Amino acid sequence: MRPREPLIRHARRGLAVLSAAALVVPLFPGTGAAAGRGTLPYENPRLSVDRRVADLLGRMTPAEKIGQMTQAERSAVASDPTLIGRWNLGSVLSGGGSTPTPNTPAAWVAMVNQFQQQALSTRLHIPLIYGIDAVHGHGNVAGATIFPHNVGLGSARDPALTEQVYHDTAVEMRATGIPWDFAPCVCVSRDERWGRTYESFSEDPALVIRMETSVDGLQGPDRRDLGRPDRVLATVKHYAGDGDTEYGTSTTDSYKIDQGVTVTNPADFARIDLSPYVAAVRGHRVGSVMPSYSSVDWTEDGVGNPIKMHANGQLINGVLKRAIGFDGFVITDYNAIHQIPDPSNPTSGDLTPYKVRVGVNAGSDMFMEPNTAGQFESLLSAEVGAGRVGMARINDAVRRILRIKFQLGLFEHPYASTANVGQVGSASHRALARQAAAESQVLLKNQGHVLPLRANAHVYVAGRNADNIGNQAGGWTLQWQGVSGSHVIPGTTILDGMRQVAPAARVTYSADGTAPTAGSDVGVVVVGETPYAEGYGDVGGPAWPYGSPEQQEPKSLTLQPGDRAVVDRVCKAVAKCVVLVVSGRPQVLTDQLGEIDGLVASWLPGSEGTGVADVLFGRRPFTGRLSMTWPRTTAQVPINVGDPNYQPLYPYGWGLRTDRGRDRLAAAAGARPTAAVRALLAAGNWRSDGSLRTDARTLGTAERALSGSGRSAALPDAILSLVRDAAQAQVVAGHAKAGWAATLADADHAQASGATSRAFTLLRRVAAG
């Protein structure tokens, strides 16, 4: 979902903050304390949701039903909130950077409550549902905790951590009065040139599916949890194929790959693009789904006739709702049906009757019409009156929307309170963000064990991303495209974190690396990308016209010239050199690798740079593994696990560790290890540094321990990690056989898919040399 206006325009239309007294809002019949005391069945919370929906639906006029299907942007109603009631709006949203003034948690509560009061003033008092893009924390809200973007969470390989990250996000959302998140993105990113790569957990659908604990973090493990005050409605997006579009196929705003065409066949589409949605619906009962701006072009009938996803009734009605069994509601993306080609005027971006009826009949239930809500309602009403959209389709859409509203408890508790605003950016949430940042760091190279750094080392820190919290947070932070700068959000930069985590270290900082380096033990150069989001983040795409000069630099899969210069300058001057790449996707730096001793993929770690410092100084070990293949050259892109002739610089799943393997296994085994695990823990199987020996007998013992790990969830991962360590050590030593990269990547895919025995076999093949 994306806004069409820069933040300044939203600010000019900003809503004046309500006084504290205005937060005490009157109750309307059928809401709040009055719920259950009315005479109408839909007002009675003791009745089943289905019965309440049926009763309410039967009382609604066509205009009221169409209103429920309509969502406007806050900027369109802020100056005249009575439009909400006049249009019978079912929902209001905030686009990226669309906030109340001032941007405080209490002001968000006041704004949402004022909008809700207008919705409840209508004849049937149906509450609205407010939605927002909280894609890595509640990023639109000043002071919120900003977590690593999904690409980093995928590299952490910790489903429980991901669930907790999204749960803390839900808590902060509810504290500001918002019960609906347009997240998580479960796209499978297959081309690093895509500007939304960082919103994807992985290039591997198997890993994306493992990270769908994010849905549980938002909604709870059961749809019945939606009514709890710490849960929100989740939206999996963008259905389906948006990460798999071909470069150069976009026709939107000079984009290159975003909103392009997925050229595929049904089998590959089901395996790569569709499978995460099957898991989200059947395994996690997600409540809403957002279609993609992109199109699908089936190769079976010849390439050249793509169908926009928002017009694709086969995939929305037929596959999502009927075949997969999705019983929530479908919300369109921002102005998305405007992109459906109208045969009478194929190049027009205006809303037309054709676009409205095609979008509704294809299966979308609620329509995100930021500034054209009234026009949409008028057009849909005319289409219904003319018989081109049937009432059965309208009733199905409204039934789905009302069902979720009842499950969220909005009819009983429509208003938010300021009682929990202290949860926004709380210490516990920031501690979790720090942990997530640490776990997401991937150690790609560690020559001479340069990492972790000594706590009292003399460290020369350089690079533009060392002290820039906006760059390390990335897009969808305060504004749609993000904001570059050192103090734009609360938190710690990576430089701040290094000084906090290692107070005994001597830290010299020079952004451009020109300060004297004499006496430095090690150089740490923090480089990478500046913030961007969809479209404007495409490699070769347009520059964001409202961004800072740094944000307007051409997007690339290689480091910017200034970053390359700093790496060269510091790594040639200091005996030991570590480079951290803060970015939303891999950056090709193969030609500089020889001068780099330690290389870290830091991704976009969020607001807590202390988490990055924790692993640099050994307060936490490096444990992350690449969720995306790291290319050797830009000519290899797109490159993904399973490709033929797979020879990247670092394969999918690569990640060196800095903890002791035997200690890791002992911790996973617990106080009562099985006999097979006790045999593996025997001293003779381990080297002095705590790593596993790779002789045939020891690896056989490890395989028996894997098969005898019982019901433990942690043990198989721990055992596989030991063999992966051994395999990567063979690669680093130059002893691995040809084809090792593909074998390691295939092993990680097998592990993500639950095929632990196959993963072991593949890892053993490389580890044995």
Side-chain angles (χ1 to χ4, degrees), residues 127-187:
L128 62 78
I129 178 172
Y130 201 100
I132 200 166
D133 292 90
V135 300
H136 66 139
H138 201 7
N140 255 8
V141 178
T145 309
I146 305 300
F147 295 98
H149 270 293
N150 285 351
V151 66
L153 294 179
S155 292
R157 293 295 204 290
D158 189 339
L161 172 70
T162 296
E163 180 175 354
Q164 189 60 50
V165 163
Y166 275 84
H167 181 226
D168 282 6
T169 300
V171 169
E172 296 200 11
M173 288 178 62
R174 280 287 197 173
T176 60
I178 300 175
W180 184 12
D181 193 358
F182 304 132
C185 185
V186 297
C187 54

Side-chain angles (χ1 to χ4, degrees), residues 27 30-33 35-36 42-45 52 406 409-414:
L27 294 172
T31 65
Y42 80 87
E43 297 175 317
N44 187 351
R52 297 177 76 184
F406 278 115
L410 291 174
F411 282 81
E412 284 69 61
H413 304 286

Side-chain angles (χ1 to χ4, degrees), residues 196-353:
R196 306 191 79 149
T197 294
Y198 62 77
E199 292 189 54
S200 172
F201 289 111
S202 180
E203 69 189 35
D204 182 2
L207 181 54
V208 173
I209 290 169
R210 287 196 70 205
M211 295 298 110
E212 287 182 357
T213 50
S214 50
V215 175
D216 298 334
L218 294 171
Q219 293 190 173
D222 190 287
R223 184 88 67 77
R224 289 173 294 186
D225 294 327
L226 277 177
R228 289 174 45 178
D230 61 338
R231 300 297 183 180
V232 300
L233 177 67
T235 307
V236 290
K237 63 183 188 183
H238 303 89
Y239 180 85
D242 58 329
D244 201 14
T245 56
E246 290 197 353
Y247 190 83
T249 60
S250 180
T251 58
T252 303
D253 297 340
S254 303
Y255 299 171
K256 293 299 182 182
I257 188 168
D258 191 46
Q259 303 181 26
V261 181
T262 304
V263 181
T264 187
N265 59 74
D268 285 344
F269 184 80
R271 176 177 59 88
I272 296 172
D273 306 304
L274 190 62
S275 57
Y277 296 92
V278 177
V281 171
R282 295 180 177 172
H284 302 277
R285 292 208 65 203
V286 69
S288 66
V289 173
M290 181 182 290
S292 175
Y293 285 117
S294 61
S295 306
V296 173
D297 193 349
W298 303 116
T299 55
E300 280 77 0
D301 58 3
V303 175
N305 53 343
I307 303 173
K308 277 284 184 183
M309 188 60 65
H310 280 81
N312 202 321
Q314 175 196 21
L315 290 176
I316 298 177
N317 279 327
V319 174
L320 177 63
K321 289 184 174 179
R322 288 196 286 271
I324 299 176
F326 176 61
D327 65 353
F329 70 88
V330 175
I331 170 70
T332 69
D333 211 329
Y334 201 102
N335 280 336
I337 65 168
H338 297 223
Q339 295 187 11
I340 296 174
D342 187 332
S344 66
N345 191 355
T347 62
S348 173
D350 295 335
L351 202 57
T352 67

